Amino acid sequence: MMEIKHYESQEIIKVNYFWLRDHCRCPLCYNTETLQRKYNLLDIPRDIAPEKGGFKYLKDGKVLQVKWTDGHISDYDVDFIFSLQVEKFQSKKAKSTLKTPWNLPIVLQNERHIRFKLTDLISSDAVVKDYVSALIRYGIVFIDEVPASTAMTEMAIRRVFPVMKTFFGEMFTFTDAADHADTAYSKVYLGSHTDNTYFCDAAGVQALHCLSHVDGDGGDNFFVDGLHCALELKRRNPKAYDILTKVQVPAEYIEKGQHHTHSAPMIRVDPVTQEIIQMRLNVYDRAVFNTIPQSEMMEFYNSFCEFLEIVQSPESQWRFKLHPGTVVVFDNWRVYHGRYAYTGKRTMTGCYVQRTDYQSKARVLGIID
């Protein structure tokens, strides 16, 4: 281990020799054009170490130069080394205020921040950044004044994100016709859920647009902030929260030519920072539950039911009717959605966006790291 002192704060950290050698950014080790490492990790001796007296500070302590026992010489930006330590990463995440958990009163107070006109979105890159920022913060945004067609809906989404292709297609248009073995293709009540719980990598974002609803009524949509609900469960019952972050809940989707299955916790947290990174809830797609012993079942079900009570409470649910002309775009890793039963004929269109494309756009815009 090497002790490194920061030139301003005088803070001292200890870093592993091999890790330090692995993070050399010289032209022999790192391609500054592709931003990729250039070497085979096995090229570094396992017993790599600085030569005796082979390190010194340059440029008023801002640069650390190391001559290694394999003859390689590395120059390190001291700030760069300090910024990469796990403690710094955890502290930065803990202080992050990018996301605003919401219930019904909070989201209604902030609705003006999450509505965007299609013409503004198309004509202004600044509006695009505001749109993605709002999606990161609240997990839900609206695009207004969109002509009621699948083509225009697709154009509105593709202005910012590429569209994800699944077995539903890229853009999907659906009524109550049984095109797929899915409760969404019906007129019955559809409770709060996330989509694709049976996928290994569920869609990160979903968009929905009501194209028409004739000869009937009902069909109000509703949305619930899963982040708010998870934090509320953690406040009320930390043990129940802990159970839902650990128990693997199986899900599946089966129809002719398709059989998808995946298991994961209902609340997924980052193993390093403990930040909530994904909510996963779909009572319709739950598969046979066989991932824990029978002796632990009741504790899980009690935790599950307590969580559902929070999710289904009126204060958590934002209910409204989608009308032609407004596209709702929401974070499928965070916000639950559902629909009340309806009569008549209703036509919806929509699509998914991969999580990696959503996050990449936010990073390019400088919204997240």
Side-chain angles (χ1 to χ4, degrees), residues 2-29:
M2 177 184 289
E3 287 191 353
I4 301 175
K5 179 186 288 186
H6 196 274
Y7 58 92
E8 286 185 341
S9 68
Q10 303 301 302
E11 178 186 359
I12 296 175
I13 60 172
K14 292 183 178 182
V15 299
N16 175 269
Y17 290 150
F18 198 97
W19 176 89
L20 190 60
R21 175 66 181 84
D22 182 40
H23 285 78
C24 178
R25 288 296 189 259
C26 81
L28 293 176
C29 295

PDB file of all heavy atoms in Angstrom, residues 2-29:
ATOM      1  N   MET A   2       0.426   2.274  -0.693  1.00  0.00           N
ATOM      2  CA  MET A   2       1.152   3.535  -0.731  1.00  0.00           C
ATOM      3  C   MET A   2       0.318   4.622  -0.045  1.00  0.00           C
ATOM      4  O   MET A   2      -0.887   4.738  -0.298  1.00  0.00           O
ATOM      5  CB  MET A   2       1.429   3.949  -2.180  1.00  0.00           C
ATOM      6  CG  MET A   2       2.123   5.305  -2.305  1.00  0.00           C
ATOM      7  SD  MET A   2       2.346   5.822  -4.029  1.00  0.00           S
ATOM      8  CE  MET A   2       3.605   4.662  -4.551  1.00  0.00           C
ATOM      9  N   GLU A   3       0.973   5.405   0.809  1.00  0.00           N
ATOM     10  CA  GLU A   3       0.302   6.546   1.425  1.00  0.00           C
ATOM     11  C   GLU A   3       0.444   7.756   0.510  1.00  0.00           C
ATOM     12  O   GLU A   3       1.547   8.080   0.065  1.00  0.00           O
ATOM     13  CB  GLU A   3       0.917   6.854   2.794  1.00  0.00           C
ATOM     14  CG  GLU A   3       0.553   5.856   3.868  1.00  0.00           C
ATOM     15  CD  GLU A   3       0.962   6.339   5.250  1.00  0.00           C
ATOM     16  OE1 GLU A   3       1.644   7.388   5.340  1.00  0.00           O
ATOM     17  OE2 GLU A   3       0.584   5.675   6.237  1.00  0.00           O
ATOM     18  N   ILE A   4      -0.693   8.422   0.253  1.00  0.00           N
ATOM     19  CA  ILE A   4      -0.691   9.600  -0.610  1.00  0.00           C
ATOM     20  C   ILE A   4      -1.342  10.745   0.158  1.00  0.00           C
ATOM     21  O   ILE A   4      -2.439  10.590   0.712  1.00  0.00           O
ATOM     22  CB  ILE A   4      -1.450   9.332  -1.925  1.00  0.00           C
ATOM     23  CG1 ILE A   4      -0.809   8.159  -2.670  1.00  0.00           C
ATOM     24  CG2 ILE A   4      -1.481  10.575  -2.805  1.00  0.00           C
ATOM     25  CD1 ILE A   4      -1.569   7.745  -3.913  1.00  0.00           C
ATOM     26  N   LYS A   5      -0.653  11.889   0.168  1.00  0.00           N
ATOM     27  CA  LYS A   5      -1.165  13.049   0.882  1.00  0.00           C
ATOM     28  C   LYS A   5      -1.713  14.067  -0.120  1.00  0.00           C
ATOM     29  O   LYS A   5      -1.081  14.348  -1.138  1.00  0.00           O
ATOM     30  CB  LYS A   5      -0.060  13.710   1.709  1.00  0.00           C
ATOM     31  CG  LYS A   5      -0.517  14.953   2.478  1.00  0.00           C
ATOM     32  CD  LYS A   5       0.639  15.659   3.156  1.00  0.00           C
ATOM     33  CE  LYS A   5       1.138  14.856   4.328  1.00  0.00           C
ATOM     34  NZ  LYS A   5       2.178  15.605   5.110  1.00  0.00           N
ATOM     35  N   HIS A   6      -2.901  14.598   0.182  1.00  0.00           N
ATOM     36  CA  HIS A   6      -3.482  15.619  -0.681  1.00  0.00           C
ATOM     37  C   HIS A   6      -2.795  16.956  -0.434  1.00  0.00           C
ATOM     38  O   HIS A   6      -2.578  17.356   0.715  1.00  0.00           O
ATOM     39  CB  HIS A   6      -4.981  15.759  -0.442  1.00  0.00           C
ATOM     40  CG  HIS A   6      -5.696  16.502  -1.535  1.00  0.00           C
ATOM     41  ND1 HIS A   6      -5.794  17.868  -1.539  1.00  0.00           N
ATOM     42  CD2 HIS A   6      -6.314  16.065  -2.666  1.00  0.00           C
ATOM     43  CE1 HIS A   6      -6.456  18.257  -2.608  1.00  0.00           C
ATOM     44  NE2 HIS A   6      -6.781  17.172  -3.322  1.00  0.00           N
ATOM     45  N   TYR A   7      -2.469  17.649  -1.513  1.00  0.00           N
ATOM     46  CA  TYR A   7      -1.666  18.872  -1.426  1.00  0.00           C
ATOM     47  C   TYR A   7      -2.392  20.036  -0.752  1.00  0.00           C
ATOM     48  O   TYR A   7      -1.765  20.967  -0.259  1.00  0.00           O
ATOM     49  CB  TYR A   7      -1.196  19.296  -2.818  1.00  0.00           C
ATOM     50  CG  TYR A   7      -2.312  19.537  -3.811  1.00  0.00           C
ATOM     51  CD1 TYR A   7      -2.878  20.794  -3.986  1.00  0.00           C
ATOM     52  CD2 TYR A   7      -2.807  18.482  -4.579  1.00  0.00           C
ATOM     53  CE1 TYR A   7      -3.900  21.005  -4.885  1.00  0.00           C
ATOM     54  CE2 TYR A   7      -3.833  18.688  -5.487  1.00  0.00           C
ATOM     55  CZ  TYR A   7      -4.378  19.946  -5.644  1.00  0.00           C
ATOM     56  OH  TYR A   7      -5.393  20.139  -6.536  1.00  0.00           O
ATOM     57  N   GLU A   8      -3.717  20.021  -0.698  1.00  0.00           N
ATOM     58  CA  GLU A   8      -4.467  21.114  -0.055  1.00  0.00           C
ATOM     59  C   GLU A   8      -4.992  20.699   1.310  1.00  0.00           C
ATOM     60  O   GLU A   8      -4.713  21.346   2.319  1.00  0.00           O
ATOM     61  CB  GLU A   8      -5.626  21.560  -0.953  1.00  0.00           C
ATOM     62  CG  GLU A   8      -5.194  22.367  -2.158  1.00  0.00           C
ATOM     63  CD  GLU A   8      -6.377  22.882  -2.959  1.00  0.00           C
ATOM     64  OE1 GLU A   8      -7.494  22.333  -2.813  1.00  0.00           O
ATOM     65  OE2 GLU A   8      -6.189  23.837  -3.731  1.00  0.00           O
ATOM     66  N   SER A   9      -5.746  19.605   1.346  1.00  0.00           N
ATOM     67  CA  SER A   9      -6.392  19.206   2.601  1.00  0.00           C
ATOM     68  C   SER A   9      -5.458  18.506   3.568  1.00  0.00           C
ATOM     69  O   SER A   9      -5.774  18.379   4.751  1.00  0.00           O
ATOM     70  CB  SER A   9      -7.567  18.267   2.295  1.00  0.00           C
ATOM     71  OG  SER A   9      -7.095  17.023   1.776  1.00  0.00           O
ATOM     72  N   GLN A  10      -4.314  18.034   3.072  1.00  0.00           N
ATOM     73  CA  GLN A  10      -3.356  17.251   3.860  1.00  0.00           C
ATOM     74  C   GLN A  10      -3.926  15.889   4.282  1.00  0.00           C
ATOM     75  O   GLN A  10      -3.338  15.180   5.103  1.00  0.00           O
ATOM     76  CB  GLN A  10      -2.896  18.019   5.106  1.00  0.00           C
ATOM     77  CG  GLN A  10      -2.261  19.373   4.798  1.00  0.00           C
ATOM     78  CD  GLN A  10      -1.039  19.255   3.885  1.00  0.00           C
ATOM     79  OE1 GLN A  10      -0.087  18.564   4.208  1.00  0.00           O
ATOM     80  NE2 GLN A  10      -1.093  19.914   2.730  1.00  0.00           N
ATOM     81  N   GLU A  11      -5.095  15.531   3.709  1.00  0.00           N
ATOM     82  CA  GLU A  11      -5.673  14.208   3.968  1.00  0.00           C
ATOM     83  C   GLU A  11      -4.745  13.139   3.398  1.00  0.00           C
ATOM     84  O   GLU A  11      -4.169  13.288   2.324  1.00  0.00           O
ATOM     85  CB  GLU A  11      -7.055  14.109   3.319  1.00  0.00           C
ATOM     86  CG  GLU A  11      -7.717  12.746   3.499  1.00  0.00           C
ATOM     87  CD  GLU A  11      -9.023  12.628   2.732  1.00  0.00           C
ATOM     88  OE1 GLU A  11      -9.423  13.621   2.076  1.00  0.00           O
ATOM     89  OE2 GLU A  11      -9.632  11.551   2.778  1.00  0.00           O
ATOM     90  N   ILE A  12      -4.615  12.045   4.143  1.00  0.00           N
ATOM     91  CA  ILE A  12      -3.772  10.932   3.705  1.00  0.00           C
ATOM     92  C   ILE A  12      -4.636   9.705   3.454  1.00  0.00           C
ATOM     93  O   ILE A  12      -5.487   9.345   4.282  1.00  0.00           O
ATOM     94  CB  ILE A  12      -2.691  10.607   4.760  1.00  0.00           C
ATOM     95  CG1 ILE A  12      -1.732  11.797   4.918  1.00  0.00           C
ATOM     96  CG2 ILE A  12      -1.914   9.357   4.370  1.00  0.00           C
ATOM     97  CD1 ILE A  12      -0.702  11.605   6.015  1.00  0.00           C
ATOM     98  N   ILE A  13      -4.451   9.090   2.300  1.00  0.00           N
ATOM     99  CA  ILE A  13      -5.140   7.843   1.986  1.00  0.00           C
ATOM    100  C   ILE A  13      -4.109   6.780   1.644  1.00  0.00           C
ATOM    101  O   ILE A  13      -2.960   7.093   1.286  1.00  0.00           O
ATOM    102  CB  ILE A  13      -6.129   7.998   0.810  1.00  0.00           C
ATOM    103  CG1 ILE A  13      -5.390   8.448  -0.453  1.00  0.00           C
ATOM    104  CG2 ILE A  13      -7.260   8.943   1.171  1.00  0.00           C
ATOM    105  CD1 ILE A  13      -6.285   8.437  -1.700  1.00  0.00           C
ATOM    106  N   LYS A  14      -4.498   5.530   1.770  1.00  0.00           N
ATOM    107  CA  LYS A  14      -3.646   4.416   1.391  1.00  0.00           C
ATOM    108  C   LYS A  14      -4.258   3.726   0.169  1.00  0.00           C
ATOM    109  O   LYS A  14      -5.458   3.426   0.173  1.00  0.00           O
ATOM    110  CB  LYS A  14      -3.508   3.414   2.542  1.00  0.00           C
ATOM    111  CG  LYS A  14      -2.732   3.946   3.726  1.00  0.00           C
ATOM    112  CD  LYS A  14      -2.571   2.865   4.795  1.00  0.00           C
ATOM    113  CE  LYS A  14      -1.742   3.382   5.966  1.00  0.00           C
ATOM    114  NZ  LYS A  14      -1.536   2.335   6.999  1.00  0.00           N
ATOM    115  N   VAL A  15      -3.439   3.506  -0.849  1.00  0.00           N
ATOM    116  CA  VAL A  15      -3.937   2.855  -2.060  1.00  0.00           C
ATOM    117  C   VAL A  15      -3.085   1.630  -2.370  1.00  0.00           C
ATOM    118  O   VAL A  15      -1.873   1.595  -2.100  1.00  0.00           O
ATOM    119  CB  VAL A  15      -3.944   3.816  -3.272  1.00  0.00           C
ATOM    120  CG1 VAL A  15      -4.843   5.002  -3.011  1.00  0.00           C
ATOM    121  CG2 VAL A  15      -2.547   4.286  -3.611  1.00  0.00           C
ATOM    122  N   ASN A  16      -3.731   0.653  -2.942  1.00  0.00           N
ATOM    123  CA  ASN A  16      -3.072  -0.592  -3.317  1.00  0.00           C
ATOM    124  C   ASN A  16      -2.144  -0.364  -4.512  1.00  0.00           C
ATOM    125  O   ASN A  16      -2.503   0.321  -5.463  1.00  0.00           O
ATOM    126  CB  ASN A  16      -4.162  -1.612  -3.668  1.00  0.00           C
ATOM    127  CG  ASN A  16      -3.608  -2.903  -4.192  1.00  0.00           C
ATOM    128  OD1 ASN A  16      -3.445  -3.058  -5.400  1.00  0.00           O
ATOM    129  ND2 ASN A  16      -3.315  -3.830  -3.303  1.00  0.00           N
ATOM    130  N   TYR A  17      -0.952  -0.937  -4.478  1.00  0.00           N
ATOM    131  CA  TYR A  17       0.006  -0.758  -5.565  1.00  0.00           C
ATOM    132  C   TYR A  17      -0.567  -1.210  -6.907  1.00  0.00           C
ATOM    133  O   TYR A  17      -0.446  -0.511  -7.920  1.00  0.00           O
ATOM    134  CB  TYR A  17       1.290  -1.565  -5.290  1.00  0.00           C
ATOM    135  CG  TYR A  17       2.149  -1.055  -4.160  1.00  0.00           C
ATOM    136  CD1 TYR A  17       2.932  -1.947  -3.417  1.00  0.00           C
ATOM    137  CD2 TYR A  17       2.215   0.298  -3.849  1.00  0.00           C
ATOM    138  CE1 TYR A  17       3.749  -1.497  -2.384  1.00  0.00           C
ATOM    139  CE2 TYR A  17       3.025   0.758  -2.822  1.00  0.00           C
ATOM    140  CZ  TYR A  17       3.785  -0.148  -2.091  1.00  0.00           C
ATOM    141  OH  TYR A  17       4.595   0.297  -1.081  1.00  0.00           O
ATOM    142  N   PHE A  18      -1.148  -2.391  -6.925  1.00  0.00           N
ATOM    143  CA  PHE A  18      -1.644  -2.944  -8.190  1.00  0.00           C
ATOM    144  C   PHE A  18      -2.754  -2.059  -8.754  1.00  0.00           C
ATOM    145  O   PHE A  18      -2.807  -1.776  -9.949  1.00  0.00           O
ATOM    146  CB  PHE A  18      -2.148  -4.380  -7.988  1.00  0.00           C
ATOM    147  CG  PHE A  18      -2.267  -5.171  -9.254  1.00  0.00           C
ATOM    148  CD1 PHE A  18      -1.258  -6.037  -9.640  1.00  0.00           C
ATOM    149  CD2 PHE A  18      -3.384  -5.054 -10.082  1.00  0.00           C
ATOM    150  CE1 PHE A  18      -1.349  -6.774 -10.822  1.00  0.00           C
ATOM    151  CE2 PHE A  18      -3.486  -5.775 -11.257  1.00  0.00           C
ATOM    152  CZ  PHE A  18      -2.465  -6.641 -11.635  1.00  0.00           C
ATOM    153  N   TRP A  19      -3.647  -1.593  -7.871  1.00  0.00           N
ATOM    154  CA  TRP A  19      -4.739  -0.702  -8.307  1.00  0.00           C
ATOM    155  C   TRP A  19      -4.173   0.581  -8.900  1.00  0.00           C
ATOM    156  O   TRP A  19      -4.631   1.065  -9.941  1.00  0.00           O
ATOM    157  CB  TRP A  19      -5.631  -0.370  -7.107  1.00  0.00           C
ATOM    158  CG  TRP A  19      -6.722   0.613  -7.420  1.00  0.00           C
ATOM    159  CD1 TRP A  19      -7.977   0.320  -7.874  1.00  0.00           C
ATOM    160  CD2 TRP A  19      -6.642   2.049  -7.326  1.00  0.00           C
ATOM    161  NE1 TRP A  19      -8.694   1.483  -8.072  1.00  0.00           N
ATOM    162  CE2 TRP A  19      -7.905   2.559  -7.747  1.00  0.00           C
ATOM    163  CE3 TRP A  19      -5.646   2.934  -6.938  1.00  0.00           C
ATOM    164  CZ2 TRP A  19      -8.181   3.927  -7.777  1.00  0.00           C
ATOM    165  CZ3 TRP A  19      -5.925   4.295  -6.968  1.00  0.00           C
ATOM    166  CH2 TRP A  19      -7.169   4.776  -7.378  1.00  0.00           C
ATOM    167  N   LEU A  20      -3.147   1.131  -8.242  1.00  0.00           N
ATOM    168  CA  LEU A  20      -2.560   2.381  -8.717  1.00  0.00           C
ATOM    169  C   LEU A  20      -1.916   2.177 -10.093  1.00  0.00           C
ATOM    170  O   LEU A  20      -2.097   2.991 -10.998  1.00  0.00           O
ATOM    171  CB  LEU A  20      -1.535   2.889  -7.707  1.00  0.00           C
ATOM    172  CG  LEU A  20      -0.995   4.305  -7.942  1.00  0.00           C
ATOM    173  CD1 LEU A  20      -2.126   5.333  -7.906  1.00  0.00           C
ATOM    174  CD2 LEU A  20       0.086   4.646  -6.912  1.00  0.00           C
ATOM    175  N   ARG A  21      -1.179   1.077 -10.240  1.00  0.00           N
ATOM    176  CA  ARG A  21      -0.557   0.786 -11.532  1.00  0.00           C
ATOM    177  C   ARG A  21      -1.624   0.578 -12.609  1.00  0.00           C
ATOM    178  O   ARG A  21      -1.469   1.019 -13.750  1.00  0.00           O
ATOM    179  CB  ARG A  21       0.327  -0.462 -11.395  1.00  0.00           C
ATOM    180  CG  ARG A  21       0.940  -0.959 -12.692  1.00  0.00           C
ATOM    181  CD  ARG A  21       1.937   0.060 -13.253  1.00  0.00           C
ATOM    182  NE  ARG A  21       2.497  -0.411 -14.517  1.00  0.00           N
ATOM    183  CZ  ARG A  21       1.897  -0.250 -15.710  1.00  0.00           C
ATOM    184  NH1 ARG A  21       0.730   0.384 -15.784  1.00  0.00           N
ATOM    185  NH2 ARG A  21       2.465  -0.697 -16.805  1.00  0.00           N
ATOM    186  N   ASP A  22      -2.730  -0.050 -12.248  1.00  0.00           N
ATOM    187  CA  ASP A  22      -3.829  -0.318 -13.176  1.00  0.00           C
ATOM    188  C   ASP A  22      -4.497   0.967 -13.653  1.00  0.00           C
ATOM    189  O   ASP A  22      -5.138   0.993 -14.696  1.00  0.00           O
ATOM    190  CB  ASP A  22      -4.857  -1.230 -12.496  1.00  0.00           C
ATOM    191  CG  ASP A  22      -6.018  -1.609 -13.399  1.00  0.00           C
ATOM    192  OD1 ASP A  22      -5.786  -1.882 -14.598  1.00  0.00           O
ATOM    193  OD2 ASP A  22      -7.165  -1.633 -12.906  1.00  0.00           O
ATOM    194  N   HIS A  23      -4.352   2.047 -12.889  1.00  0.00           N
ATOM    195  CA  HIS A  23      -4.995   3.314 -13.240  1.00  0.00           C
ATOM    196  C   HIS A  23      -4.025   4.342 -13.821  1.00  0.00           C
ATOM    197  O   HIS A  23      -4.300   5.546 -13.803  1.00  0.00           O
ATOM    198  CB  HIS A  23      -5.737   3.891 -12.028  1.00  0.00           C
ATOM    199  CG  HIS A  23      -7.006   3.163 -11.737  1.00  0.00           C
ATOM    200  ND1 HIS A  23      -7.044   1.950 -11.090  1.00  0.00           N
ATOM    201  CD2 HIS A  23      -8.300   3.442 -12.061  1.00  0.00           C
ATOM    202  CE1 HIS A  23      -8.292   1.523 -10.999  1.00  0.00           C
ATOM    203  NE2 HIS A  23      -9.071   2.415 -11.582  1.00  0.00           N
ATOM    204  N   CYS A  24      -2.920   3.845 -14.345  1.00  0.00           N
ATOM    205  CA  CYS A  24      -2.007   4.728 -15.064  1.00  0.00           C
ATOM    206  C   CYS A  24      -2.705   5.240 -16.321  1.00  0.00           C
ATOM    207  O   CYS A  24      -3.359   4.486 -17.036  1.00  0.00           O
ATOM    208  CB  CYS A  24      -0.734   3.982 -15.435  1.00  0.00           C
ATOM    209  SG  CYS A  24       0.445   4.984 -16.382  1.00  0.00           S
ATOM    210  N   ARG A  25      -2.577   6.533 -16.575  1.00  0.00           N
ATOM    211  CA  ARG A  25      -3.231   7.138 -17.738  1.00  0.00           C
ATOM    212  C   ARG A  25      -2.205   7.650 -18.761  1.00  0.00           C
ATOM    213  O   ARG A  25      -2.508   8.540 -19.561  1.00  0.00           O
ATOM    214  CB  ARG A  25      -4.130   8.298 -17.281  1.00  0.00           C
ATOM    215  CG  ARG A  25      -5.406   7.826 -16.553  1.00  0.00           C
ATOM    216  CD  ARG A  25      -6.282   7.027 -17.486  1.00  0.00           C
ATOM    217  NE  ARG A  25      -7.588   6.722 -16.940  1.00  0.00           N
ATOM    218  CZ  ARG A  25      -7.918   5.551 -16.413  1.00  0.00           C
ATOM    219  NH1 ARG A  25      -7.005   4.588 -16.348  1.00  0.00           N
ATOM    220  NH2 ARG A  25      -9.132   5.332 -15.960  1.00  0.00           N
ATOM    221  N   CYS A  26      -1.016   7.067 -18.781  1.00  0.00           N
ATOM    222  CA  CYS A  26      -0.022   7.468 -19.779  1.00  0.00           C
ATOM    223  C   CYS A  26      -0.422   6.922 -21.150  1.00  0.00           C
ATOM    224  O   CYS A  26      -1.247   5.995 -21.238  1.00  0.00           O
ATOM    225  CB  CYS A  26       1.369   6.975 -19.376  1.00  0.00           C
ATOM    226  SG  CYS A  26       1.688   5.249 -19.769  1.00  0.00           S
ATOM    227  N   PRO A  27       0.162   7.438 -22.243  1.00  0.00           N
ATOM    228  CA  PRO A  27      -0.214   6.992 -23.588  1.00  0.00           C
ATOM    229  C   PRO A  27       0.023   5.511 -23.849  1.00  0.00           C
ATOM    230  O   PRO A  27      -0.635   4.923 -24.713  1.00  0.00           O
ATOM    231  CB  PRO A  27       0.657   7.859 -24.501  1.00  0.00           C
ATOM    232  CG  PRO A  27       0.971   9.075 -23.691  1.00  0.00           C
ATOM    233  CD  PRO A  27       1.090   8.596 -22.287  1.00  0.00           C
ATOM    234  N   LEU A  28       0.943   4.884 -23.117  1.00  0.00           N
ATOM    235  CA  LEU A  28       1.185   3.458 -23.304  1.00  0.00           C
ATOM    236  C   LEU A  28       0.087   2.604 -22.676  1.00  0.00           C
ATOM    237  O   LEU A  28      -0.150   1.484 -23.096  1.00  0.00           O
ATOM    238  CB  LEU A  28       2.546   3.071 -22.698  1.00  0.00           C
ATOM    239  CG  LEU A  28       3.793   3.636 -23.381  1.00  0.00           C
ATOM    240  CD1 LEU A  28       5.039   3.235 -22.589  1.00  0.00           C
ATOM    241  CD2 LEU A  28       3.892   3.137 -24.816  1.00  0.00           C
ATOM    242  N   CYS A  29      -0.567   3.170 -21.675  1.00  0.00           N
ATOM    243  CA  CYS A  29      -1.571   2.413 -20.908  1.00  0.00           C
ATOM    244  C   CYS A  29      -3.008   2.794 -21.254  1.00  0.00           C
ATOM    245  O   CYS A  29      -3.927   1.995 -21.038  1.00  0.00           O
ATOM    246  CB  CYS A  29      -1.356   2.627 -19.415  1.00  0.00           C
ATOM    247  SG  CYS A  29       0.203   1.980 -18.794  1.00  0.00           S
TER     248      CYS A  29
END
